Amino acid sequence: MPSTRKLLLNAVASLDAEASPERCTEALDKIFTPSLASDGKATAFDVERDGGVTPLMIACDKSIASALGYLRDQIEHYNTNELSLVQIFDAWGYVTEKSQESGNCAIHHAMAANFHTGVDVLEFALSKTSTTSLPEKCNNNVQKYMTLISQP
C-alpha cells in the first residue's frame, strides 16, 4: 500500500488552483481518515520520498489555496484531530525540506509562483514548529527562511 505521503502527493497534484475548499476536503479527508488506528490514535506515517518532492511543494507550486487552507486547519487543530504536528509534517513535508532534484523547498515554490497565501501559510507553519521537532536536515534552515519570508 502506498504511504500517506505518496497518497497525499497524488491527491494534491490532482487539484487545480481553483479547487474549492469542499473539493479539497473531500479529496484529502479520504487520505487522513483511514490513517487513524481503530483506537483513535494516529498511526505513524511512512515518510516515503518521491524525489524529495512533497505535497507541500506541489500545493505551493500550483498555488492551491484550498490545500494550504486544509493544512493550516490541521495545524491549528492538531490537538483535537488526533494527529501530532510531526505526523502532519511527515505527511505534507516540512516547510524547509528540500527536494533532491532542485534543492528547493516549499518556500521557494511559493515565492516563485508569487503565491502570497502560500507564503503566509508557510510562515504560520514555521511559527508553530519547534525546531527541536524538525528533522536535522530541515532544522538548519528555519531562521534563514523565516527572515526570507518576512521581507516585504
Side-chain angles (χ1 to χ4, degrees):
M1 176 156 174
S3 69
T4 300
R5 181 178 277 200
K6 181 69 172 175
L7 293 170
L8 184 59
L9 185 69
N10 291 337
V12 171
S14 74
L15 298 170
D16 59 34
E18 290 79 34
S20 70
E22 293 81 16
R23 163 79 176 96
C24 181
T25 298
E26 178 184 329
L28 301 185
D29 273 354
K30 291 176 187 176
I31 295 164
F32 285 99
T33 303
S35 297
L36 297 177
S38 59
D39 65 358
K41 298 294 180 196
T43 59
F45 290 120
D46 174 8
V47 292
E48 171 187 309
R49 305 294 185 240
D50 202 350
V53 175
T54 67
L56 189 55
M57 290 176 196
I58 299 292
C60 288
D61 187 61
K62 292 178 64 179
S63 302
I64 307 172
S66 59
L68 291 178
Y70 185 94
L71 169 61
R72 184 181 182 117
D73 188 57
Q74 280 188 311
I75 294 168
E76 287 178 337
H77 300 100
Y78 77 91
N79 58 345
T80 59
N81 69 9
E82 301 172 346
L83 294 173
S84 72
L85 285 176
V86 170
Q87 289 171 313
I88 291 168
F89 288 117
D90 278 352
W92 281 92
Y94 291 84
V95 174
T96 59
E97 186 174 341
K98 296 178 180 182
S99 71
Q100 296 163 354
E101 294 176 13
S102 68
N104 290 336
C105 65
I107 295 169
H108 291 114
H109 291 279
M111 293 180 86
N114 199 27
F115 184 39
H116 299 288
T117 301
V119 173
D120 291 345
V121 171
L122 296 173
E123 186 174 22
F124 173 77
L126 277 174
S127 73
K128 297 294 184 184
T129 307
S130 163
T131 56
T132 58
S133 68
L134 288 171
E136 188 173 327
K137 68 179 180 174
C138 301
N139 193 16
N140 298 335
N141 298 318
V142 171
Q143 188 58 44
K144 177 173 86 174
Y145 291 122
M146 285 298 282
T147 302
L148 180 65
I149 63 178
S150 64
Q151 295 177 2

